[in-house]
Amino acid sequence: MIIDVHAHLGHDVVFDEEATEEELVAAQREYGVAASIVQPFVGRPYLSDTVNIHDRIHRLCLAHPGHFFGMASINPHFRPEDYEKEATRCVKELGFVGFKITPIAHAANPCSQDGLHVFETATALNTPVMVHTGNGTPFSDPIMVLEAAQTFRQIPIVLAHAGTDLLFAQALHLARSFDHVYLDTSWLSILNVRKALKSIGPGKMMFASDHAVNIPVELAKYRTLLEEGPELERVLGGTAREVFGIHPEVRS
């Protein structure tokens, strides 16, 4: 069972990317993906826009139960009470399974007061946090997640893109040092994916695409490095099921 832990919906005002419901559904069917965890592309920094894209993701999840799950992306610089209200709504009312910080787009340092508030809120809601790492230094350097990893050990922390190749060593160090830190390896070179498999194993790694067009590329990396069996099954879906507590449906 393949679970893509990093999919997007909507329009990204930073990178001018676009992803539609139709593209996500078609990609699942074409590549045999059972479920995707969908987060907003980064929109304009208005609370109303944030609420609207979360509602749109929720409608996608309702239309395809067991195949799509929501992940909230709320600007850490919103007023704390507004952040907490929307975060709580996403988890308790919409059934979302994670939160995302995108330092390059949110202009947010994960170890700043606002950044750490995301982890505080997620801990109160017992929900994992995914942090974009790689492009966008200094705030997207995985080492910026160190304080949160040391302080908030009750929730899983997923380092999206595993720092990419430039900052992979820092991401690997965190995943190796903390039981609750995991790697989403989208856009990581196959050589570093292999290093991670040898160093931390598939139980700390998760398949992710970041974009529907990238799904076959990311699948090819793991299918090149691992034979069919428990390790491949683990990295393509098993770790994600445990970290996010989801129970996908097998896509027919």
Side-chain angles (χ1 to χ4, degrees):
M1 180 179 289
I2 301 170
I3 301 173
D4 184 351
V5 301
H6 192 154
H8 285 281
L9 181 67
H11 178 69
D12 192 304
V13 300
V14 177
F15 298 105
D16 286 332
E17 292 289 343
E18 185 84 31
T20 67
E21 291 85 349
E22 293 77 14
E23 288 171 334
L24 292 174
V25 173
Q28 278 194 352
R29 294 187 182 280
E30 181 173 359
Y31 301 114
V33 175
S36 306
I37 299 178
V38 182
Q39 58 184 273
F41 265 138
V42 177
R44 302 192 184 282
Y46 298 105
L47 186 57
S48 59
D49 288 29
T50 303
V51 170
N52 288 339
I53 188 60
H54 287 157
D55 286 344
R56 184 176 167 186
I57 290 173
H58 182 52
R59 289 193 295 271
L60 174 65
C61 296
L62 291 177
H64 303 273
H67 297 300
F68 291 99
F69 300 85
M71 176 178 285
S73 179
I74 309 167
N75 194 307
H77 299 308
F78 285 159
R79 293 185 183 92
E81 59 271 23
D82 290 336
Y83 189 99
E84 292 166 13
K85 181 178 179 180
E86 178 60 7
T88 301
R89 185 183 80 93
C90 285
V91 173
K92 302 243 173 160
E93 297 180 24
L94 306 187
F96 282 18
V97 299
F99 296 111
K100 175 71 176 296
I101 303 175
T102 308
I104 187 175
H106 289 143
N109 184 347
C111 63
S112 67
Q113 182 175 342
D114 285 350
L116 292 174
H117 181 245
V118 175
F119 295 94
E120 292 170 2
T121 305
T123 298
L125 294 167
N126 193 30
T127 306
V129 175
M130 176 181 284
V131 183
H132 165 96
T133 61
N135 293 337
T137 55
F139 296 158
S140 296
D141 188 326
I143 206 64
M144 294 296 190
V145 184
L146 176 60
E147 184 175 350
Q150 292 172 327
T151 305
F152 301 99
R153 296 174 182 263
Q154 305 95 316
I155 57 169
I157 298 172
V158 181
L159 303 180
H161 318 308
T164 62
D165 293 323
L166 181 64
L167 299 170
F168 168 69
Q170 290 93 309
L172 184 63
H173 174 71
L174 288 181
R176 198 162 42 205
S177 300
F178 297 96
D179 290 340
H180 64 299
V181 175
Y182 300 82
L183 301 183
D184 141 5
T185 56
S186 55
W187 304 114
L188 192 65
S189 72
I190 191 171
L191 294 178
N192 281 329
V193 171
R194 183 171 65 181
K195 287 179 183 177
L197 284 169
K198 291 180 178 179
S199 178
I200 58 176
K204 299 292 295 291
M205 301 167 65
M206 286 177 271
F207 166 74
S209 71
D210 192 39
H211 201 292
V213 74
N214 191 42
I215 290 174
V217 177
E218 299 298 335
L219 286 175
K221 294 176 191 177
Y222 282 115
R223 287 172 171 162
T224 298
L225 295 170
L226 296 172
E227 297 180 357
E228 290 290 338
E231 288 191 333
L232 183 61
E233 189 175 309
R234 177 81 174 174
V235 78
L236 291 185
T239 305
R241 286 199 301 272
E242 289 184 10
V243 169
F244 291 99
I246 59 176
H247 304 285
E249 297 288 333
V250 176
R251 183 167 283 288
S252 57

